[in-house]
Amino acid sequence: MRKNQTLGEFIIENQKDFPYASGELSRLINSIRLAAKMVNHQVNKAGLVDITGAAGDTNIQGEDQQKLDVLANETFINTLTNREIVCGIASEENDDFITIKGQNNDHRNNYVVLMDPLDGSSNIDVNVSVGTIFSIYRRVTPTGTPVTLEDFLQPGNLQVAAGYIIYGTSTMLVYTTGHGVNGFTLNPALGTYYLSHPNMQFPEDGHIYSVNEGNYIHFPQGIKDYIKYCQEEKEDRPYTSRYIGSLVSDIHRNMIKGGVYLYPSTSKSPNGKLRLLYECNPMAFLAEQAGAKASDGFKRILDIKPTELHQRTPFVCGSKNMVTRVESFMKETK
């Protein structure tokens, strides 16, 4: 790594670390980089043109789609499809996965992408940071055949790459291919991402807890007990409560400053609310690569074998010692 290194240079330089050095994964990450620049341009126009507010539809989860949700989804799908790099795409915004035939309709491409094209989109209208989350796997069905659901329902420990883009005061792309986590900041004047945060690491401990305390009454007893622990005047506590409501923003802050993010099950949503494939697995992969930990409160997120495309799970992610303590509170009240 060197000063002023661009994302493109970094990808080429580190191609040798990929399990399959055909250049296909490098081109895929480059396509995500391009789509992210296009979405960033649209996000920065929000409020100037009619792209904020509800689109009038709901997604597969029954959530109201925002106009920028739809735009971001189409941008990423079109960019990845037109470059004929992937054999399949699954999006939080689509009911089913998309099969991509590739050149000559031969289904020869090897990677599938799963994504949340615009995480935190309910924050758009109030000018709070939003993001994109992506996860990449090698297909498990034979090359030359159309992808099947099996290609997408892989445990997170089989991811070959994952990352997020945060559209905030500056636009950053943060990703891993299983060799540490690196962050790149977009220079809008040049349209180029530069390595700004090499070898990102979660502190082992932290003083921030991120949870929607408005749902406190519906939380499991273990989470309630942990929140009270965070609020005690003892030793190095109370901790600071920081919750943005955009997963990308909350995880990004905690990675830099040290903290834990909690989105537990509730009496209303006993299986949790966050999506395993589009949100939790990629964030868990990033977290572990940055020396942190990700759990459903009892077991490692990356070891969960998915059974549904839009499966949900409770999610606890962040500084290793903090997540371990949350798990101990959960086990005591199980």
Side-chain angles (χ1 to χ4, degrees), residues 235-256:
E235 299 164 350
D236 59 346
R237 286 168 278 141
Y239 293 158
T240 301
S241 175
R242 290 284 183 270
Y243 184 72
I244 297 169
S246 167
L247 176 62
V248 164
S249 301
D250 281 311
I251 294 288
H252 184 72
R253 179 202 53 244
N254 289 353
M255 191 186 306
I256 292 170

Side-chain angles (χ1 to χ4, degrees), residues 39 43 69 72 76 116-121 128-133 164-168 246-249:
V39 171
V43 168
D69 274 325
F76 274 93
D116 180 352
L118 203 64
D119 167 69
S121 57
V128 172
S129 296
V130 293
T132 296
I133 307 170
Y164 61 79
I165 302 100
I166 183 167
Y167 312 105
S246 167
L247 176 62
V248 164
S249 301

Side-chain angles (χ1 to χ4, degrees), residues 116-279:
D116 180 352
L118 203 64
D119 167 69
S121 57
S122 60
N123 286 324
I124 294 166
D125 290 349
V126 291
N127 208 17
V128 172
S129 296
V130 293
T132 296
I133 307 170
F134 62 90
S135 172
I136 302 171
Y137 295 83
R138 274 188 74 87
R139 65 182 302 168
V140 291
T141 52
T143 303
T145 63
V147 289
T148 71
L149 188 58
E150 182 186 0
D151 292 301
F152 298 93
L153 298 185
Q154 300 186 54
N157 54 36
L158 295 179
Q159 289 173 100
V160 294
Y164 61 79
I165 302 100
I166 183 167
Y167 312 105
T169 49
S170 60
T171 296
M172 278 188 69
L173 189 154
V174 177
Y175 85 105
T176 182
T177 55
H179 298 273
V181 177
N182 293 282
F184 300 80
T185 299
L186 178 66
N187 181 333
L190 301 175
T192 304
Y193 289 94
Y194 289 94
L195 180 62
S196 55
H197 293 66
N199 192 29
M200 297 177 75
Q201 289 283 310
F202 266 89
E204 282 200 357
D205 247 315
H207 294 88
I208 296 171
Y209 70 100
S210 309
V211 63
N212 183 355
E213 292 185 66
N215 289 326
Y216 179 89
I217 192 68
H218 303 294
F219 289 158
Q221 190 58 47
I223 298 295
K224 289 179 179 177
D225 292 346
Y226 179 74
I227 292 172
K228 290 304 178 190
Y229 166 86
C230 292
Q231 295 169 342
E232 286 177 340
E233 284 194 279
K234 245 183 212 184
E235 299 164 350
D236 59 346
R237 286 168 278 141
Y239 293 158
T240 301
S241 175
R242 290 284 183 270
Y243 184 72
I244 297 169
S246 167
L247 176 62
V248 164
S249 301
D250 281 311
I251 294 288
H252 184 72
R253 179 202 53 244
N254 289 353
M255 191 186 306
I256 292 170
K257 296 194 171 183
V260 63
Y261 176 90
L262 306 107
Y263 210 121
S265 61
T266 65
S267 52
K268 291 181 178 179
S269 303
N271 295 321
K273 192 173 178 187
L274 296 183
R275 266 64 59 161
L276 174 63
L277 296 179
Y278 313 112
E279 296 166 315

Side-chain angles (χ1 to χ4, degrees), residues 156 276 280-281 284 294-296 299-304 313-315:
L276 174 63
C280 302
N281 271 342
S295 166
D296 67 356
K299 60 182 178 296
R300 184 184 182 219
I301 285 289
L302 295 182
D303 289 339
I304 298 173
T313 182
F315 192 53

